[in-house]
Amino acid sequence: MKFNVYQVSRKGGRPKNEDRMGYCYTRSAGLFALADGMGGHPEGEVASQLALQTLAATFQRDAKPTLKDPLRFLQDAVLAGHHQLLRYATERGLLDTPRTTIVACILQGNAAYWAHCGDSRLYLIRGDKLVARTRDHSYTELHGALSPAGKAAAGGHALNRNVLFTCLGSPGKPVVDTAGPLLLQPGDRVMLCSDGLWGSVADAQITEAMSSRAISDAVPELAEQALRNAGPRSDNVTVLAVEFEGTDSPLAPAAVSTRSLGDEVFASTIQASLAGSEPATEELDEAEIERSIREINEAIKRSSQKKT
């Protein structure tokens, strides 16, 4: 499998950036994920980081080098991140649980699979067409578009677009929507982003930029455009984009090839640990995930040695 990847995160007018993103891959599968820690709740940056750590650790455990059931993996791994947040809050006696949205995509063979919870989005663009987009878990999208009168009253924007009815760390079981497999063609582009991007840049503009420029040019320009459009009170803007190069195509400049990795080799850009947030190891399944989190740095080193 070969792919180009580009990612960027820009701090807006918020006190801190609680967005996190990253990717990891084996010889035959790749996981790309983004999480947006939610304001109004404690330690949003811990929530987003812990959710990604759990995803990456579960991927390391299960992708040998492929996933038997990518959709089941996504469902289970996202919910495992939710349970880690509940345990984190309980063990530290927090009055409220850190919360985060999440969106994740698996590329395996010639297919894409994805899952999301909340309003972090996935866009899949083929040529100049938007082929697929996740539907936010917000009351705005749940009830459909506003009437023209409602849009006018909102100044042209959706009312309460940030009011979500589910997320990781919530008291009830999160809603996790999954999709796939969707067969990919060389040149297809998958973009994950936080609401800081789509909240101030329209889908048509996102599609145009992602279809007409190299992702290394389109992604940073979209992030800067979002900051300009939103002004001083801009949300944080985080974007991760992947261009699928295929499984047998010649390697493009700067593209990642997974072919040289061994069956047990795992590479990751997701931070392996977060100071003060190591989860407890009480249940066997959770313990396996947590051990894998601590092993990610060692796995990255092994991967680098294999490729040199």
Side-chain angles (χ1 to χ4, degrees), residues 115 161 177 199 219 261 274 280 287:
R161 71 169 181 85
D177 286 343
V219 168
L261 300 182
L274 188 67

Side-chain angles (χ1 to χ4, degrees), residues 87-162:
R87 293 179 62 191
Y88 177 90
T90 299
E91 290 167 359
R92 285 156 181 77
L94 300 180
L95 297 179
D96 191 12
T97 303
R99 304 186 191 190
T100 186
T101 68
I102 195 163
V103 59
C105 179
I106 294 289
L107 299 185
Q108 184 166 287
N110 289 317
Y113 310 77
W114 59 88
H116 80 291
C117 179
D119 63 356
S120 290
R121 288 184 180 178
L122 177 145
Y123 292 76
L124 196 153
I125 297 158
R126 175 172 297 158
D128 61 354
K129 304 296 184 184
L130 178 60
V131 175
R133 173 176 79 75
T134 52
R135 184 178 177 88
D136 306 332
H137 292 132
S138 66
Y139 289 102
T140 297
E141 292 231 321
L142 176 66
H143 295 297
L146 290 173
S147 66
K151 289 183 178 180
H157 299 287
L159 293 171
N160 297 323
R161 71 169 181 85
N162 290 322

